[in-house]
Amino acid sequence: GAGVSQSPRYKVAKRGQDVALRCDPISGHVSLFWYQQALGQGPEFLTYFQNEAQLDKSGLPSDRFFAERPEGSVSTLKIQRTQQEDSAVYLCASSLDGGVSQPQHFGDGTRLSIL
Amino acid sequence: AQSVSQHNHHVILSEAASLELGCNYSYGGTVNLFWYVQYPGQHLQLLLKYFSGDPLVKGIKGFEAEFIKSKFSFNLRKPSVQWSDTAEYFCAVNRRTGFQKLVFGTGTRLLVSP
């Protein structure tokens, strides 16, 4: 069945370039999360959407990071003026609604490498 | 702030050996607890979860975990591992109220040799 889809799977960019990472959640899922997973670490929360509303962006590491979900489905995570420390796997997850009992379904992630 | 500790970063076992992976969390309130697994080349998948009730929870593929509130622990167990259990295992926690932001541990890489 259709799961969470992320694109691209791999992205290489030069330091200073802007990048955009896409997440297609499971159809009908209200909640959408972005996580950042550095090498050898567990995923760390970046931001959360309920439909099109960004309810929490406390995990975004700097103002260079921006996320949107304008129509309440597809979401884009944008990183401006990339730095080497932005190299990581960016994971997207969706769940049916905002209830804490609903499991999060993860995508395969986008592996971002900044040269 | 919430935090999750997984003390074993790498575990190597032979097939049929028993497995126990430690997980401790730090949080003053009521939490939900999860174990996720990531098989090589695949996405994170939910293995099992604890919300309330019986502190011994059973998940997929013969895994189980026990919530011990007094120890703030949620250790993962399997009596007899298989080569196909080779994967990375993550313990995670979220608050019982509010939305579902997960706080993950650093993960444990399990290698099962045939």
Side-chain angles (χ1 to χ4, degrees):
Chain A
V4 177
S5 177
Q6 291 188 246
S7 61
R9 286 295 308 276
Y10 303 92
K11 176 71 178 176
V12 179
K14 292 182 179 178
R15 189 162 57 103
Q17 288 183 330
D18 298 347
V19 298
L21 313 179
R22 176 188 169 105
C23 172
D24 237 306
I26 293 173
S27 178
H29 277 196
V30 167
S31 296
L32 186 146
F33 300 79
W34 284 98
Y35 294 86
Q36 180 191 57
Q37 186 175 15
L39 190 64
Q41 301 295 317
E44 291 193 5
F45 169 78
L46 293 177
T47 187
Y48 164 66
F49 290 86
Q50 189 164 336
N51 294 306
E52 69 278 5
Q54 189 175 20
L55 299 186
D56 190 318
K57 53 182 181 180
S58 62
L60 296 176
S62 77
D63 59 7
R64 297 186 295 103
F65 287 70
F66 172 77
E68 61 183 4
R69 194 186 184 196
E71 297 178 359
S73 56
V74 171
S75 177
T76 303
L77 176 67
K78 297 178 180 178
I79 309 173
Q80 298 176 325
R81 305 181 304 280
T82 52
Q83 304 292 319
Q84 282 193 321
E85 62 263 28
D86 300 334
S87 295
V89 176
Y90 290 85
L91 297 170
C92 177
S94 70
S95 68
L96 188 58
D97 60 27
V100 292
S101 64
Q102 291 293 330
Q104 293 184 30
H105 301 266
F106 283 81
D108 290 331
T110 294
R111 185 176 296 275
L112 176 64
S113 298
I114 305 300
L115 304 179
Chain B
Q2 295 168 276
S3 67
V4 176
S5 296
Q6 292 182 245
H7 307 294
N8 311 102
H9 298 295
H10 294 89
V11 173
I12 301 174
L13 294 173
S14 299
E15 274 193 316
S18 64
L19 170 72
E20 181 160 3
L21 301 182
C23 173
N24 289 90
Y25 68 94
S26 172
Y27 181 63
T30 307
V31 298
N32 300 315
L33 296 152
F34 306 82
W35 276 97
Y36 279 83
V37 60
Q38 187 167 26
Y39 297 103
Q42 297 187 26
H43 56 266
L44 278 166
Q45 302 172 41
L46 182 65
L47 199 54
L48 50 78
K49 61 186 185 226
Y50 172 78
F51 292 150
S52 63
D54 189 344
L56 183 63
V57 293
K58 295 190 183 299
I60 60 173
K61 303 186 180 184
F63 285 91
E64 64 179 31
E66 184 176 13
F67 170 52
I68 303 179
K69 189 174 180 180
S70 61
K71 295 185 178 180
F72 296 91
S73 70
F74 190 56
N75 292 354
L76 181 71
R77 299 194 294 249
K78 185 171 184 179
S80 176
V81 294
Q82 300 174 312
W83 176 78
S84 58
D85 294 325
T86 294
E88 189 158 19
Y89 294 81
F90 293 93
C91 182
V93 61
N94 68 8
R95 293 168 59 176
R96 188 69 63 82
T97 57
F99 69 93
Q100 311 156 341
K101 176 181 89 171
L102 288 169
V103 176
F104 285 87
T106 53
T108 298
R109 285 188 182 271
L110 172 65
L111 174 62
V112 180
S113 57

